[in-house]
């Protein structure tokens, strides 16, 4: 069942040239979708449209078409109702932290919605587990690392119990430890059948969790496919200025050197299978999107 | 002088009562080297490089830049030798035209007006920002702003250039451009220091990699030596470039750390 | 270095209800303004210092007070030079006389009192914010019938003051690295230096403020006419006791002052 759908969405800002043109797609429950494309292609703008920020918080010159979340048209629904279905974590986690402790920050949104104290506590307990921040319950979010702070921002959104989460470059300023923490959180969300749409440039690290890639170029949707099919379109990938995982770029180079690898591997294990003579190694498990790092 | 940067027994903490942020750092960097400093956030990377242009002064030990001890020099004096490109160009862009922006540094250093004109034009060319000198910096894209910030620094003609997270949050094409610019600078003899999370960049371009953890330098070696020390990398949770993991799956004569490397090795491997 | 922020410690001062601490702040500040005898103001300042000891924040208190010292010294010098012009009948027992500078016993006492007053008025809020979290302050204000929006703004400003200072440091580092000399050679350069520091800060502030208001909307801020308060604030016996003592001290002080005590005769 489609939880998110965009129908012929065309949006234009007042001052800059940024716009989205005739965007249509639908996303089912439990899918993890990556939105990618070069700077200025409209990724963040699209995220804002899906979350209701456009048109409720930002005025547009043009807004035609529609966005539906759980069948409800976003532009005709109050933002406070939307926040019960969908959560968005913006690019700057610092500007989203209101609490003196992680616990207080998570309570903020629920306080605004007049949720009862006991229910607030119960939800915070659950969410702290989900984002793996139980030991930081009483900590000042500003004393935490970038990755932990990012998880606070995610947790404070999740506590409002949305089934859909939108993330704008969640790992962009994080080190590898922080990035792993965020990816583990997304994996846990997947297990809980939450739908996640994220904008990311750091594709290599996020690949293990992604089901689908939607690419934008100059405000238009140019492709919507599974990761393997996306990376198979080498010319498009390069035109989009997207940085595929190193393994994929290796294959592009090998192909250019005349070494043909038929199946496009997107992880190290798959690469091994692809080039090894002993094809009996190639069984289904290597083609599943589990952790792409080999256990050393 | 062969060693352009000489750091001896450097210890640093922000306040009397706070813990040590840098512990017993010993480091020499030769003129013309490209050194990458890697490590988790909080390992002390940025704190260390801030000692190079005197933004921070050692609590114990010494930092010598081109023979000058930073304890005896102000940052603006050291700006002659050390150019620092910060992570976010918005932290420094203030002028109303790109000319005024780029000429600020050289003017501070006492360049003559003719020198300033010449140096501004050449720096902007070097970074590929071919725009009218009256252009407002606010109208530039993020990638262009980043190049502007580098031009700001280049205009002061430093021997050493420090880049703090040059590729974080950048498009692939912007990264490519940036790295080509830096590569040219390295070729022209500048000493380059990058602080980065990008292991691929580190493996591809650096002459030397310094791995930091909890305020100490735990490894100072070539990219190959660092990225093949899998045990150490696993301990501090840093991932080597993806291709390096191939060696643990296939029986390759050495561990590849860049794509070029891998292609070469695989060609040999396949033809065996 | 945080100038204003909360310092987390386990102390009796920290655990006092914020409303009591507001009361203490008002009382100490009021008394420091009412009296002008140096001894009395010294006692008031000492009480703040003692409270900082009780709060186990003496080290941070000292380092935060240090930048204030020049202000106190300036106050002392100003008053010592100008007291006789402000209060000519009060001057006697001239101690020092050179050109237009006449210093007498009264002006010395007065100058000491003024500089101590400055220190007291600056140190009291310092102590307050170091021992009170912005969220408990916000709740205390609401309990004192301050509209929630106002209380929220106060809390948010405190919250982000240290963040703003940090951003300022980043900008300063970036500009100094380009040869900006903060200790300028001439006064002409000063305005440009200020632009260099404040323009990027203002732009960052604008961007930040946009994100902040967006975040507030996304967390349903202001969507309902009331809200739940997750934190609880209850006055304990000791809070009531301290508040009563403070109130009585203030009353006593006012009474004594009105009776003519506590001035430099």
């Amino acid at each position: 069942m489609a939880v998110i759908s965009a129908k012929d969405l065309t949006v234009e800002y007042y001052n800059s040239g940024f716009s989205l043109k005739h965007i249509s797609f639908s996303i089912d429950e439990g899918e993890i979708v990556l939105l990618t494309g070069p700077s200025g292609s409209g990724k963040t703008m699209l995220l804002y449209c899906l979350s209701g920020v456009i048109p409720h918080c930002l005025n547009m010159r043009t807004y035609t078409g529609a966005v539906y979340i759980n069948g409800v048209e976003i532009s005709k629904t109050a933002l406070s109702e939307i926040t019960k279905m969908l959560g968005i974590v913006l690019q700057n986690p610092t500007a989203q932290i209101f609490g003196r402790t992680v616990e207080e920050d998570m309570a903020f949104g629920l306080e605004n919605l007049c949720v009862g104290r006991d229910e607030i506590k119960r939800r915070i307990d659950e969410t702290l587990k989900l984002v793996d921040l139980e030991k930081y319950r009483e900590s000042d979010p500003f004393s935490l690392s970038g990755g932990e702070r990012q998880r606070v921002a995610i947790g404070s959104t999740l506590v409002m119990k949305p089934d859909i989460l939108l993330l704008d470059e969640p790992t962009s300023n994080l080190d590898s430890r922080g990035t792993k923490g965020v990816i583990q959180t997304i994996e846990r969300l997947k297990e809980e059948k939450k739908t996640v749409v994220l904008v990311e440039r750091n594709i290599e690290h996020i690949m293990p969790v992604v089901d689908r890639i939607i690419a934008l170029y100059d405000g238009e949707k140019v492709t919507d496919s599974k990761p393997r099919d996306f990376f198979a379109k080498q010319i498009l990938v390069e035109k989009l200025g997207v940085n595929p995982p190193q393994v994929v770029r290796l294959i592009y180079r090998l192909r250019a050197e005349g070494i043909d690898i038929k199946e496009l591997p997107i992880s190290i294990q798959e690469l091994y299978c692809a080039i090894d003579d002993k094809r009996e190694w190639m069984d289904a498990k290597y083609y599943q999107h589990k952790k792409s790092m080999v256990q050393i | 002088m062969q060693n352009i940067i000489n750091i001896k027994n450097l210890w640093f903490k922000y306040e009397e009562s706070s813990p040590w942020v840098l512990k017993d750092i010993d480091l020499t960097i030769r003129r013309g080297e490209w050194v990458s400093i890697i490590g988790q956030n909080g390992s002390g990377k940025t704190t260390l490089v801030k000692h190079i242009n005197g933004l921070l002064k050692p609590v114990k030990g010494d930092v010598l830049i081109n023979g000058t001890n930073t304890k005896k020099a102000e940052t603006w004096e050291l700006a002659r030798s050390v150019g620092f490109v910060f992570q976010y160009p918005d932290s420094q862009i203030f002028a109303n035209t790109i000319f005024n922006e780029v000429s600020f540094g050289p003017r501070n250093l006492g360049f003559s007006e003719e020198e300033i004109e010449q140096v501004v034009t050449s720096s902007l060319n070097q970074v590929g920002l071919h725009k009218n000198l009256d252009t407002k910096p606010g109208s530039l894209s993020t990638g262009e702003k980043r190049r502007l910030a580098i031009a700001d620094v280049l205009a002061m003609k430093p021997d050493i250039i420090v880049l703090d997270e040059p590729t974080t949050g950048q498009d692939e094409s912007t990264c490519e451009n940036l790295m080509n610019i830096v590569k040219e600078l390295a070729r022209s003899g500048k000493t380059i220091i990058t602080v980065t999370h990008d292991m691929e960049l580190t493996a591809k371009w650096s002459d030397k990699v310094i791995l930091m953890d909890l305020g100490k330098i735990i490894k100072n070696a070539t990219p190959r030596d660092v990225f093949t020390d899998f045990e150490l990398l696993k301990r501090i949770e840093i991932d080597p470039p993806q291709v390096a993991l191939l060696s643990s799956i296939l029986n390759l004569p050495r561990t590849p750390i860049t794509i070029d490397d891998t292609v070469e090795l695989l060609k040999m491997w396949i033809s065996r | 270095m945080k100038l204003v922020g909360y310092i987390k410690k386990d102390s009796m001062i920290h655990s006092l209800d914020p409303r009591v601490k507001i009361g203490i702040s008002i009382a100490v500040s009021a008394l420091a303004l009412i009296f002008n005898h140096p001894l009395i103001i010294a006692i008031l300042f000492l009480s703040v210092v003692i409270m900082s000891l009780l709060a186990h924040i003496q080290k941070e208190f000292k380092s935060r007070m240090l930048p204030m010292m020049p202000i106190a010294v300036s106050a002392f010098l100003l008053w010592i030079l100008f007291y006789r012009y402000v209060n000519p009948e009060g001057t006697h027992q001239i101690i020092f006389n050179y050109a237009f500078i006449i210093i007498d016993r009264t002006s010395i006492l007065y100058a000491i009192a003024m500089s101590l007053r400055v220190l007291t008025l600056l140190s009291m809020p310092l102590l307050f914010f170091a021992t009170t979290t912005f969220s408990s302050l916000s709740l205390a204000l609401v309990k004192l019938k301050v509209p929630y929006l106002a209380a929220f703004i106060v809390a948010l400003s405190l919250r982000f003051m240290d963040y703003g200072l940090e951003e300022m440091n980043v900008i300063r580092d970036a500009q100094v690295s380009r040869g900006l000399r903060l200790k300028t050679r001439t006064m002409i350069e000063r305005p440009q230096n200020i632009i260099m520091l404040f323009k990027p800060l203002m732009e960052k502030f604008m961007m930040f403020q946009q994100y902040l208001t967006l975040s507030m909307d996304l967390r349903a801020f202001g969507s309902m006419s009331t809200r739940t308060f997750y934190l609880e604030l209850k006055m304990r016996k000791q809070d009531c006791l301290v508040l009563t003592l403070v109130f009585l001290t203030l009353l006593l002080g006012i009474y004594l002052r009105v009776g003519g005590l506590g001035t430099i005769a």
Side-chain angles (χ1 to χ4, degrees):
Chain A
M1 202 214 70
V3 292
I4 301 176
S5 56
K7 293 212 162 79
D8 201 33
L9 183 68
T10 301
V11 181
E12 201 185 328
Y13 274 133
Y14 271 110
N15 295 323
S16 59
F18 293 124
S19 64
L20 291 172
K21 301 161 195 156
H22 308 292
I23 306 280
S24 298
F25 60 81
S26 64
I27 295 175
D28 291 334
E29 188 184 14
E31 278 196 284
I32 313 280
V33 178
L34 174 69
L35 266 186
T36 192
S39 282
S41 56
K43 310 186 289 292
T44 300
M45 205 174 172
L46 181 54
L47 225 55
Y48 283 179
C49 288
L50 296 181
S51 64
V53 166
I54 296 171
H56 294 289
C57 304
L58 298 172
N59 281 323
M60 297 289 115
R61 190 207 297 268
T62 319
Y63 185 101
T64 58
V67 171
Y68 297 91
I69 303 291
N70 287 338
V72 168
E73 197 179 338
I74 286 282
S75 56
K76 302 194 165 85
T77 315
L79 197 59
S80 53
E81 287 304 309
I82 299 173
T83 57
K84 294 176 188 166
M85 298 190 278
L86 179 157
I88 176 168
V89 180
L90 306 172
Q91 254 189 55
N92 185 353
T94 307
Q96 295 164 89
I97 292 172
F98 297 97
R100 195 195 67 78
T101 61
V102 172
E103 182 173 17
E104 280 176 34
D105 192 60
M106 288 195 180
F108 182 66
L110 297 174
E111 288 176 314
N112 293 330
L113 288 171
C114 285
V115 175
R117 225 187 239 135
D118 293 330
E119 174 66 10
I120 294 180
K121 180 165 191 306
R122 195 187 63 78
R123 290 205 202 176
I124 291 176
D125 292 340
E126 257 178 43
T127 310
L128 283 171
K129 237 188 229 135
L130 194 58
V131 295
D132 194 24
L133 288 175
E134 282 161 294
K135 62 180 178 185
Y136 294 120
R137 190 186 193 115
E138 309 264 313
S139 305
D140 181 353
F142 285 158
S143 68
L144 301 178
S145 71
E148 289 156 349
R149 222 184 282 185
Q150 188 65 263
R151 275 148 51 207
V152 172
I154 295 175
S156 299
T157 309
L158 283 176
V159 84
M160 300 185 34
K161 287 232 162 285
D163 288 314
I164 302 164
L165 193 63
L166 308 178
L167 303 170
D168 197 356
E169 302 210 29
T171 69
S172 67
N173 283 324
L174 305 184
D175 55 15
S176 53
R177 208 178 266 151
T179 304
K180 282 197 181 99
V182 170
I183 292 175
Q184 278 165 8
T185 304
I186 299 176
E187 283 177 332
R188 244 174 261 132
L189 291 174
K190 193 173 176 153
E191 280 163 30
E192 306 257 325
K193 294 250 181 324
K194 303 270 187 216
T195 311
V196 178
V197 179
L198 59 143
V199 170
E200 253 308 351
R201 283 187 239 247
N202 195 352
I203 289 195
E204 187 164 293
H205 294 105
I206 216 90
M207 273 333 295
V209 293
V210 165
D211 296 320
R212 203 165 129 198
I213 300 180
I214 294 177
L216 299 181
Y217 188 82
D218 201 19
E220 291 181 30
K221 187 185 85 173
V222 293
T223 184
D224 179 351
S225 47
K226 291 198 163 40
R228 194 182 311 284
D229 300 326
F230 174 72
F231 294 122
K233 302 171 194 161
Q234 183 177 345
I235 299 167
L236 178 65
V237 170
E238 282 166 4
K239 179 183 175 191
L240 287 171
V242 157
N243 200 20
Q246 198 178 37
V247 164
V248 172
R249 280 178 282 125
L250 175 63
I251 298 305
Y252 292 165
R253 269 291 298 278
L254 290 172
R255 282 183 180 160
E257 304 266 339
I259 300 166
D260 186 31
I261 312 288
K262 286 206 200 73
E263 314 258 5
L264 185 79
I266 57 175
S267 71
I268 285 290
Q269 296 98 316
E270 293 182 18
L271 175 62
Y272 173 41
C273 296
I275 62 176
D276 189 14
D277 291 333
K278 305 187 191 81
R279 293 262 151 175
E280 64 259 31
W281 280 80
M282 259 168 38
D283 63 2
K285 78 177 183 204
Y286 286 104
Y287 282 53
Q288 282 166 32
H289 285 235
K290 286 293 177 186
K291 294 172 190 10
S292 70
M293 300 310 290
V294 172
Q295 295 306 313
I296 306 164
Chain B
M1 179 166 299
Q2 258 305 92
N3 285 339
I4 197 169
I5 298 175
N6 233 311
I7 300 177
K8 288 187 281 212
N9 306 118
L10 169 63
W11 287 77
F12 179 80
K13 58 180 170 179
Y14 283 100
E15 275 161 37
E16 246 319 297
S17 49
S18 57
W20 290 107
V21 177
L22 292 176
K23 299 169 190 162
D24 207 11
I25 305 281
D26 274 298
L27 180 60
T28 50
I29 295 177
R30 291 203 317 275
R31 185 179 292 275
E33 268 194 309
W34 183 330
V35 174
S36 282
I37 306 181
I38 64 174
Q40 299 290 359
N41 284 344
S43 57
K45 317 191 288 289
T46 309
T47 313
L48 177 58
V49 293
K50 281 189 176 173
H51 279 86
I52 294 175
N53 73 338
L55 281 173
L56 296 173
K57 309 274 195 230
V59 172
K60 283 198 267 188
D62 293 288
V63 174
L64 289 127
I65 306 296
N66 247 335
T68 311
N69 191 319
T70 62
K71 283 182 185 161
K72 304 198 177 94
E74 299 289 337
T75 306
W76 63 263
E77 290 174 302
L78 291 165
R80 257 177 237 281
S81 320
V82 186
F84 205 117
V85 183
F86 284 79
Q87 191 177 353
Y88 299 107
D90 288 322
S91 300
Q92 65 191 78
I93 293 174
F94 75 100
N96 52 346
T97 65
I98 59 178
F99 179 82
N100 287 343
E101 186 65 42
V102 181
S103 60
F104 179 75
R107 197 162 278 129
N108 281 332
L109 294 180
F111 285 30
S112 71
E113 283 305 314
E114 300 91 64
E115 276 178 302
I116 289 176
E117 271 234 38
Q118 186 257 320
V119 101
V120 166
T121 324
S122 72
S123 317
L124 288 171
N125 280 332
Q126 263 184 299
V127 301
L129 213 53
H130 307 292
K131 297 220 177 217
N132 199 311
L133 293 176
D134 286 327
T135 314
K136 284 197 166 68
S139 66
L140 300 174
S141 71
T142 328
E144 288 171 331
K145 277 190 187 154
R146 207 166 262 264
R147 280 186 274 156
L148 182 65
I150 299 181
D152 284 351
V153 161
L154 289 181
M156 296 192 284
K157 293 184 162 309
D159 295 315
I160 302 166
I161 300 176
V162 179
L163 297 129
D164 193 3
E165 301 287 356
T167 59
T168 305
Q170 297 297 303
D171 269 355
E172 168 62 4
S173 41
T174 320
C175 283
E176 268 296 308
N177 277 338
L178 237 53
M179 284 302 110
N180 283 323
I181 295 168
V182 180
K183 187 178 70 183
E184 276 313 306
L185 294 172
R187 266 209 203 119
S188 68
K190 305 267 190 221
T191 308
I192 309 282
I193 301 173
T194 38
V195 174
T196 183
H197 290 309
D198 190 334
M199 300 306 152
E200 215 183 309
L201 178 168
T202 305
K204 194 168 172 186
W205 300 114
S206 323
D207 297 314
K208 201 154 85 175
V209 177
I210 293 163
L211 181 52
M212 288 188 71
D213 190 41
L214 301 173
K216 289 188 167 175
I217 292 180
I218 52 175
K219 195 157 184 120
N220 176 352
T222 61
R224 177 170 305 286
D225 288 338
V226 169
F227 290 125
T228 51
D229 192 343
F230 293 132
E231 253 179 63
L232 179 63
L233 293 176
K234 189 174 186 185
R235 187 161 59 82
I236 56 173
E237 294 180 82
I238 288 205
D239 300 328
Q242 260 191 341
V243 291
L245 302 168
L246 263 180
S247 65
S248 63
I249 313 174
L250 305 173
N251 234 340
L252 298 173
R254 66 169 188 276
T255 305
I257 57 169
T258 63
I259 290 183
D260 291 335
D261 224 0
T262 319
V263 169
E264 211 186 293
L265 284 170
L266 282 179
K267 276 182 179 168
M268 289 186 334
W269 191 89
I270 288 170
S271 62
R272 77 190 180 343
Chain C
M1 188 193 80
K2 285 193 188 169
L3 268 178
V4 187
Y6 175 71
I7 303 165
K8 191 174 181 179
K9 296 266 161 114
D10 213 347
S11 79
M12 56 183 276
I13 306 286
H14 283 78
S15 60
L16 279 176
D17 191 293
R19 289 167 286 186
V20 176
K21 282 183 272 193
I22 291 174
I24 296 175
S25 304
I26 293 174
V28 168
S29 307
L31 290 170
L33 286 168
I34 296 173
F35 292 99
N36 57 22
H37 196 285
L39 195 61
I40 298 179
I41 305 187
I43 292 172
L44 287 169
F45 181 59
L46 198 63
S47 68
V48 178
V49 173
I50 292 173
M51 279 191 280
S52 76
L53 282 164
L54 288 171
H56 309 306
I57 58 162
Q58 56 270 41
K59 258 200 212 127
E60 293 91 342
F61 186 77
K62 195 172 100 185
S63 55
R64 290 185 187 187
M65 281 303 289
L66 223 56
M68 319 272 198
M69 295 314 283
I71 307 173
V73 170
S74 315
F76 178 79
L77 290 171
L78 262 160
W79 280 110
I80 242 196
L81 290 172
F82 294 109
Y83 179 70
R84 85 179 291 273
Y85 298 100
V86 168
N87 191 3
E89 311 92 58
T91 59
H92 51 269
Q93 267 185 277
I94 291 175
I95 291 173
F96 179 83
N97 194 342
Y98 180 79
F100 65 90
I101 302 171
I102 302 175
I103 299 173
D104 68 338
R105 182 182 165 273
T106 322
S107 54
I108 293 177
L109 287 175
Y110 200 76
I112 295 174
M114 288 307 105
S115 54
L116 282 172
R117 179 186 281 174
V118 161
L119 283 175
T120 310
L121 291 174
L122 288 172
S123 61
M124 191 63 238
L126 214 101
L127 176 70
F128 179 83
F129 290 120
T131 56
T132 312
T133 65
F134 69 85
S135 47
S136 60
L137 171 61
S138 172
L139 191 55
L141 289 173
V142 167
K143 294 244 173 193
L144 292 170
K145 303 290 184 229
V146 172
Y148 177 68
L149 189 61
F152 181 71
I153 290 170
V154 168
L156 219 59
S157 317
L158 281 173
R159 174 49 145 171
F160 290 112
M161 208 179 291
D162 277 331
Y163 172 69
L165 283 169
E166 207 186 287
E167 283 299 307
M168 182 69 146
N169 283 335
V170 170
I171 293 168
R172 195 203 55 207
D173 281 351
Q175 307 299 41
V176 159
S177 303
R178 290 162 70 191
L180 174 69
R181 289 176 227 194
L182 287 176
K183 297 166 195 151
T184 50
R185 289 168 292 190
T186 67
M187 285 304 283
I188 304 164
E189 286 170 359
R190 194 153 286 194
Q192 189 184 34
N193 289 355
I194 293 175
I195 295 175
M196 285 201 68
L197 291 174
F198 277 96
K199 195 158 177 225
L201 187 69
M202 282 303 113
E203 295 195 13
K204 275 208 170 178
F205 175 74
M206 296 305 284
M207 275 254 57
F208 184 79
Q209 175 259 120
Q210 277 178 23
Y211 270 122
L212 196 67
T213 42
L214 201 53
S215 306
M216 280 162 61
D217 282 334
L218 290 168
R219 305 270 281 278
F221 185 80
S223 61
M224 308 206 120
S225 51
T226 59
R227 68 196 307 280
T228 315
F229 287 99
Y230 184 60
L231 284 181
E232 290 183 272
L233 211 60
K234 285 201 177 85
M235 293 273 268
R236 307 160 302 172
K237 277 208 195 94
Q238 51 262 60
D239 294 319
C240 295
L241 191 66
V242 173
L243 196 57
T244 313
L245 274 167
V246 165
F247 185 63
L248 288 173
T249 314
L250 182 60
L251 277 178
L252 182 68
I254 297 173
Y255 176 74
L256 289 172
R257 183 67 184 86
V258 166
L261 282 162
T263 50
I264 302 164

